[in-house]
Amino acid sequence: RDSSVNVVQLLLARLDNGVVWLHSDGPEKKYEIRRAKNDGKELTKEEKQRLRKEKKQQKKQKDEKGTSERAKEKKHVAPSQPVATQPPTQKAHTVLPASAPIPVPASGAPSHSSPAPSPADKPAKSRAELKAERRARQEADRASKQQSCSSSSKTKAPPSELNPVVKRLPEHVQVDDPAVVKRLAKKLERQQIPLRSDYGYKVSLFSHLHQYSRKAPLTQQLSIPSTVIHPSIVRLGLQYSQGIVVGSNARSVALLHAFKQVIRDYTTPPNEELARDLVNKLKPYISFLNQCRPLSASMGNAIKYIKKEISNIPSQFKEEEAKTKLLTCIDRYINENVVLAAKAISKYAIEKISDGDVILVYGCSSLVNHILCEAYDKSRKFRVIIVDSRPRLEGREALRRLVKQGISCTYVLISALSYVLPEVSKVFLGAHALLANGYVMSRVGTSQIALVARTFNVPVLVCCETYKFCERVQTDSFVSNELDDPDDLMVTRKGKTQLENWHDVSSLGLLNLVYDVTPPDFVDLVITDLGMIPCTSVPVVLRVKNLDHSMPVWMLERGFRHKVSPCLILHAMLHRL
Amino acid sequence: MEWTLIPVIRSLDTIGPSMLLCSLLPCSGETILGLRESLKWATDCLTGVDSSVAVSSGGELFLRFISLTSLEHQDLSRCKKVMEERGELFLEKISLSRTKVAKLCHTFIKDGAKILTHSSSRVVLRVLEKAAAEKKRFTVYVTESQPDTAGKQMADALRRLNVPVTVVLDAAVGYVLEKVDLVIVGAEGVVESGGIINKIGTYQMAVCSKAHNKPFYVVAESFKFVRLYPLNQQDVPDRFKYKADTLRTVSDLSEEHPMIDYTPPSLITLLFTDLGVLTPSAVSDELIKLYL
């Protein structure tokens, strides 16, 4: 009953703003109508949100209280519900909520007859003003809500920018919790994406993670042609799950290219705005890709960037303009964060490579390979030891690339690490992501290399672009990781495959981990496009990056031209004094 | 290009690196770019004479500082005036920095403390002066610090303050450490990782104090922050390791003995600077934050 009172109060509050005008005649009528429509649009979105929240609260109260109350609430909820269902179809105005909501659809209809003007015809109220109005209304509502509900059971305040957002655990690390799995299944059903089932016996420590088989890709469960998912996304998903596109940079760039294709093929449906609709279109694609292979940190940041860019498209833009803008944004993102960053990092890294060096690398990192090739081009004399590990054997790809350049390489497996380390002068490692507490998340085996290198007093340098920095905090490799196909661990030698029947042995589990985290004490230096920083300074970079989104390019320019930190210290000195 | 060099001297004592900061007053018809070029030339001259880290970093800082301002005035003479004013400001600030550091650090010296220090540093001397002025009683062990036996001069200065001081051999650091409570050293340069570059023998002292779990404090002014990130001793550039005339005259540097060494941040407890008391990891944080 409390919640329904709120709904009515809400609607009454709207009365102040929009109502009376439609009755006035005269030359201002059109303007008024447009203005009302505009308000109405805003209102309906808010109302949708609020009504959704009310429904949630009601559900909770239903569970707690009982059937009699439920009946009462239903009566009150019913009149507001038709209002809720109207907006999606009509796309207009419940502007006239006189005390009874029911006349709204009727009065809504005539004003809707003038066809929805294209967003360009809206009055010149800026977005900021509208936001301010909305916020003022929210404050008023919150105040009235607090007065009415004395004992509120779990009324959550609408998330404002002031309250810290409570972060929930992502679903892909809660696989052993059936409630979470059910929720995920429902969400995928809604988005019409097939759910991928787990495969094989999972080691108990990692039972909270997914384990898929490569022989059962998600695409087999899709109808062809897929109507829900864009074909380039389907292709991308297949490439991810089959391991055709591997590596943090490669995956993000492929993702962005696929999104570019999606944007090119996109047409705004009538009565929708590109800014909002495109974001909604991307959500099922992202779920699909997540099902094919869990998203990497770099992909997550790229997606955040795209969503922000899309929602910042001003509504005055025509579709073609908006699309070209988005395509250029994506190109610029790739250029700044991958291509130019690689150049900047090579510049710094080459300073650290001296003649006669013996450099150890692990696996295949596109960035480290790039650095070594650049250094070789700048005629530094060094040789490389490539450490590799089963089952991926990515080091072979790195070996191929470096030998093609002409660099002299040695190839060992990770079990021979302590044998080669005495002759190594530096270790260069790539990273999948850099976490907020300074831990480095990288291919499994990296922390082992860092640990042994530390005991041999060999400096360890990690090379990572800033777009891979992520806000997560992790201190061990268990809590969030990825389990690869366990069948990869089977190997056939001399015609015999020992682990062929591992499924039959009930107590046997095969574990094929993909990532591990290295503590910052083992890392001497992190080379980013912002410069060389110690591992503990990652949170500062994150903080600084959040303030200015186009930071890397600005920094690059500054860094190249001036190399200026000390003078700014004095600058600060002046300010502090 | 004619110019007159008017040295605004900060060459304090003859001990250790002296800071010569010159203000150039170019005579006529210069562009801003020309001004910068001539300033840079002067800095290079200075580093050519005395190749210590502090001179190099201080010179660069002076240059950056006076040019990091909006020099958009139409009149070139106004620009020059602005630069001169900023130069004066710079010098004023750095002369105060040592006092600031002393103010921060002397509270860490408790009554009855035994302090170990290395070679001769004016900042450490200032800190100990301040502590003595606060009526604290402490004794000091100074290493002799070969090859120039700079430690003896430090001992003389301390004796003048009526502080009981003992000069020990460089090799006796491990022996003496069990008696001392804390170690304070100066720095010729503070690098980006939070480590320091100082007279040879500092690294040894840091390793020993870590083994004995004694706090290892570094006192340095902020103009000593240098844009370097050495990974190990070999990574420190040669121009800092050896004296300038050695670099010029001697062909095979492997025969020469380096004058400085690098102490990594893991061995340092705290750094006292005029920007405040910093942990080694905070040094890099400050630098990054200041990019804004």
Side-chain angles (χ1 to χ4, degrees):
Chain A
R1 203 175 30 112
D2 290 339
S3 49
S4 52
V5 166
N6 288 335
V7 172
V8 173
Q9 275 189 334
L10 257 181
L11 301 174
L12 283 171
R14 297 289 173 279
L15 276 176
D16 305 333
N17 290 328
V19 183
V20 187
W21 301 326
L22 282 189
H23 294 296
S24 68
D25 285 314
E28 300 133 58
K29 189 176 182 183
K30 241 190 188 167
Y31 171 76
E32 242 86 83
I33 292 180
R34 266 194 234 131
R35 183 146 190 254
K37 257 192 202 162
N38 182 17
D39 279 350
K41 233 187 200 163
E42 305 292 320
L43 286 169
T44 52
K45 272 257 146 53
E46 282 179 57
E47 270 204 316
K48 259 198 270 186
Q49 252 187 8
R50 243 173 231 106
L51 287 161
R52 250 183 265 146
K53 269 180 222 138
E54 307 300 352
K55 273 191 213 164
K56 269 194 212 158
Q57 285 173 37
Q58 285 155 21
K59 266 191 194 157
K60 280 182 204 148
Q61 286 170 348
K62 266 184 221 173
D63 295 334
E64 286 172 24
K65 286 173 186 174
T67 51
S68 55
E69 306 245 335
R70 206 188 296 167
K72 238 199 234 168
E73 281 167 328
K74 270 195 175 156
K75 259 194 261 164
H76 289 276
V77 167
S80 53
Q81 269 177 353
V83 179
T85 47
Q86 290 297 338
T89 51
Q90 266 196 63
K91 177 87 196 175
H93 357 304
T94 45
V95 172
L96 305 193
S99 44
I102 300 171
V104 172
S107 52
S111 27
H112 183 57
S113 58
S114 53
S118 65
D121 289 355
K122 269 194 197 152
K125 235 191 184 182
S126 73
R127 218 188 179 100
E129 287 177 73
L130 292 171
K131 260 194 187 160
E133 269 192 312
R134 233 186 297 163
R135 205 170 289 153
R137 269 183 240 135
Q138 276 182 5
E139 300 289 331
D141 295 333
R142 216 176 295 148
S144 60
K145 236 193 229 179
Q146 278 171 5
Q147 284 175 5
S148 54
C149 339
S150 43
S151 60
S152 46
S153 44
K154 288 171 196 168
T155 38
K156 284 190 192 146
S160 69
E161 287 152 37
L162 305 169
N163 292 345
V165 178
V166 175
K167 287 198 172 123
R168 278 178 303 180
L169 275 178
E171 284 131 355
H172 68 270
V173 297
Q174 284 183 296
V175 175
D176 52 353
D177 184 356
V180 174
V181 176
K182 228 170 77 175
R183 223 189 310 146
L184 176 66
K186 265 205 212 144
K187 176 175 140 197
L188 292 178
E189 210 180 81
R190 216 183 339 123
Q191 292 174 336
Q192 295 173 286
I193 291 169
L195 176 70
R196 204 170 178 193
S197 46
D198 283 356
Y199 167 77
Y201 172 72
K202 273 194 274 189
V203 174
S204 60
L205 264 177
F206 293 93
S207 55
H208 60 285
L209 300 171
H210 285 294
Q211 183 171 275
Y212 301 128
S213 165
R214 199 164 296 131
K215 291 199 271 293
L218 197 57
T219 45
Q220 281 176 354
Q221 301 175 43
L222 287 178
S223 62
I224 294 187
S226 159
T227 44
V228 180
I229 307 175
H230 192 280
S232 58
I233 302 280
V234 175
R235 186 178 65 176
L236 188 65
L238 193 62
Q239 285 172 330
Y240 283 166
S241 64
Q242 298 302 101
I244 299 171
V245 174
V246 279
S248 191
N249 275 341
R251 283 167 72 190
S252 325
V253 173
L255 175 74
L256 289 170
H257 281 302
F259 275 173
K260 269 170 67 176
Q261 188 57 42
V262 167
I263 291 174
R264 267 187 227 116
D265 296 338
Y266 171 77
T267 40
T268 328
N271 301 344
E272 294 281 349
E273 226 183 78
L274 181 135
R276 289 182 205 138
D277 186 59
L278 185 54
V279 178
N280 289 335
K281 277 259 163 21
L282 289 180
K283 285 193 186 143
Y285 299 163
I286 295 166
S287 309
F288 172 73
L289 291 174
N290 209 1
Q291 289 289 66
C292 291
R293 191 174 164 192
L295 296 181
S296 65
S298 51
M299 288 165 72
N301 288 343
I303 289 172
K304 248 188 256 174
Y305 173 77
I306 292 187
K307 281 191 176 165
K308 187 170 109 73
E309 284 298 312
I310 294 178
S311 39
N312 281 345
I313 296 263
S315 37
Q316 294 98 319
F317 272 33
K318 297 206 181 31
E319 189 173 306
E320 278 313 308
E321 257 185 273
K323 288 206 306 201
T324 21
K325 179 166 187 279
L326 284 173
L327 293 175
T328 40
C329 278
I330 293 181
D331 280 329
R332 204 185 67 202
Y333 184 83
I334 297 178
N335 194 31
E336 271 177 23
N337 287 310
V338 181
V339 179
L340 286 181
K343 281 210 185 91
I345 294 178
S346 312
K347 259 204 166 72
Y348 290 119
I350 287 172
E351 290 170 29
K352 289 293 169 202
I353 300 179
S354 29
D355 288 340
D357 260 349
V358 179
I359 297 179
L360 187 125
V361 298
Y362 178 64
C364 182
S365 163
S366 54
L367 188 55
V368 174
N369 292 341
H370 183 262
I371 291 172
L372 294 176
C373 296
E374 287 279 311
Y376 189 75
D377 286 338
K378 298 228 159 57
S379 13
R380 289 274 202 281
K381 309 265 175 300
F382 59 92
R383 66 182 178 92
V384 179
I385 299 182
I386 301 177
V387 177
D388 201 6
S389 69
R390 276 195 68 230
R392 286 175 171 243
L393 292 173
E394 289 170 328
R396 296 189 176 178
E397 177 59 35
L399 182 65
R400 210 170 292 137
R401 290 188 202 172
L402 293 178
V403 168
K404 207 161 85 167
Q405 280 281 113
I407 305 175
S408 50
C409 301
T410 313
Y411 177 87
V412 292
L413 289 181
I414 196 167
S415 24
L417 187 61
S418 47
Y419 178 75
V420 285
L421 260 171
E423 55 186 61
V424 170
S425 58
K426 300 194 171 66
V427 177
F428 272 79
L429 298 172
H432 172 259
L434 236 65
L435 305 175
N437 56 348
Y439 279 66
V440 179
M441 182 167 188
S442 187
R443 185 66 81 221
V444 65
T446 313
S447 61
Q448 195 174 332
I449 303 226
L451 172 68
V452 184
R454 164 64 69 175
T455 41
F456 279 88
N457 273 324
V458 175
V460 174
L461 287 77
V462 170
C463 308
C464 183
E465 300 95 335
T466 39
Y467 85 105
K468 289 184 190 161
F469 284 23
C470 95
E471 304 250 338
R472 242 184 24 209
V473 169
Q474 211 176 313
T475 51
D476 59 63
S477 317
F478 297 97
V479 81
S480 173
N481 208 325
E482 194 185 320
L483 295 177
D484 210 359
D485 192 352
D487 291 336
D488 286 347
L489 292 181
M490 299 195 296
V491 61
T492 310
R493 287 213 178 91
K494 299 184 188 156
K496 275 204 297 186
T497 311
Q498 298 288 25
L499 289 170
E500 218 165 11
N501 304 315
W502 72 275
H503 294 285
D504 304 334
V505 184
S506 58
S507 52
L508 179 62
L510 296 187
L511 181 64
N512 190 358
L513 278 179
V514 181
Y515 298 117
D516 69 13
V517 284
T518 310
D521 327 324
F522 296 154
V523 176
D524 288 298
L525 173 59
V526 177
I527 308 182
T528 67
D529 38 319
L530 293 181
M532 298 191 269
I533 58 172
C535 228
T536 44
S537 294
V538 169
V540 185
V541 172
L542 277 173
R543 221 185 309 146
V544 153
K545 250 175 91 82
N546 283 335
L547 296 175
D548 183 320
H549 221 290
S550 58
M551 182 67 157
V553 176
W554 179 88
M555 275 293 341
L556 274 179
E557 293 172 16
R558 229 153 190 204
F560 284 159
R561 264 191 288 132
H562 293 292
K563 275 190 128 198
V564 165
S565 63
C567 86
L568 291 163
I569 296 179
L570 283 170
H571 209 15
M573 254 172 75
L574 270 192
H575 285 285
R576 281 176 219 213
L577 289 174
Chain B
M1 172 178 72
E2 293 174 31
W3 42 268
T4 43
L5 240 160
I6 296 177
V8 178
I9 301 248
R10 295 309 293 161
S11 88
L12 303 167
D13 309 348
T14 48
I15 310 169
S18 49
M19 290 277 298
L20 268 173
L21 293 173
C22 316
S23 162
L24 292 173
L25 300 175
C27 299
S28 58
E30 290 274 348
T31 58
I32 301 285
L33 192 61
L35 271 172
R36 281 180 63 86
E37 291 299 319
S38 42
L39 285 168
K40 212 163 175 329
W41 189 89
T43 323
D44 290 337
C45 277
L46 289 168
T47 26
V49 165
D50 184 353
S51 68
S52 65
V53 183
V55 171
S56 141
S57 68
E60 202 187 308
L61 283 174
F62 181 71
L63 177 63
R64 303 296 180 195
F65 185 77
I66 62 177
S67 46
L68 184 79
T69 172
S70 85
L71 294 171
E72 286 152 6
H73 311 287
Q74 296 294 358
D75 188 11
L76 188 70
S77 56
R78 276 212 61 200
C79 290
K80 284 188 224 159
K81 235 176 140 274
V82 168
M83 287 171 103
E84 278 170 47
E85 282 165 17
R86 289 181 73 82
E88 298 291 330
L89 198 58
F90 178 91
L91 296 170
E92 206 186 292
K93 295 314 171 196
I94 61 170
S95 66
L96 289 176
S97 57
R98 214 172 271 167
T99 330
K100 274 191 162 186
V101 174
K103 209 158 66 158
L104 282 172
C105 187
H106 77 89
T107 47
F108 280 69
I109 300 174
K110 303 216 171 22
D111 209 21
K114 295 197 190 56
I115 304 171
L116 174 63
T117 185
H118 184 63
S119 182
S120 163
S121 161
R122 277 161 293 167
V123 193
V124 175
L125 191 57
R126 185 73 81 84
V127 169
L128 296 176
E129 273 173 17
K130 187 95 172 75
E134 300 284 319
K135 306 280 193 289
K136 294 207 185 137
R137 289 164 297 187
F138 53 90
T139 56
V140 181
Y141 295 89
V142 189
T143 54
E144 170 184 61
S145 162
Q146 294 285 4
D148 54 2
T149 60
K152 296 233 167 77
Q153 286 155 336
M154 181 77 160
D156 291 336
L158 283 170
R159 260 183 223 113
R160 279 194 287 267
L161 293 171
N162 287 327
V163 174
V165 56
T166 319
V167 177
V168 299
L169 289 175
D170 297 340
V173 165
Y175 176 81
V176 139
L177 257 169
E178 54 184 41
K179 288 191 263 191
V180 303
D181 299 316
L182 68 154
V183 183
I184 306 183
V185 299
E188 294 200 16
V190 179
V191 295
E192 275 185 66
S193 59
I196 59 164
I197 294 183
N198 200 20
K199 186 81 184 295
I200 190 132
T202 316
Y203 179 48
Q204 239 150 257
M205 200 182 274
V207 172
C208 289
S209 44
K210 184 87 180 186
H212 282 266
N213 281 320
K214 306 284 181 191
F216 187 85
Y217 298 131
V218 172
V219 286
E221 303 98 314
S222 63
F223 62 79
K224 289 183 176 158
F225 281 42
V226 68
R227 213 46 180 109
L228 264 185
Y229 203 126
L231 297 171
N232 46 26
Q233 306 297 337
Q234 311 311 319
D235 223 11
V236 180
D238 281 341
R239 66 180 195 273
F240 296 138
K241 277 198 221 170
Y242 308 102
K243 284 201 184 323
D245 20 354
T246 326
L247 286 168
R248 271 197 297 256
T249 53
V250 172
S251 49
D252 185 10
L253 281 173
S254 58
E255 300 284 309
E256 290 297 314
H257 202 282
M259 297 295 293
I260 54 116
D261 64 17
Y262 164 66
T263 307
S266 47
L267 301 171
I268 300 174
T269 324
L270 284 177
L271 281 122
F272 296 90
T273 69
D274 45 330
L275 298 175
V277 183
L278 306 171
T279 57
S281 43
V283 168
S284 166
D285 289 4
E286 289 282 314
L287 291 178
I288 296 179
K289 271 197 289 202
L290 293 171
Y291 275 122
L292 275 184

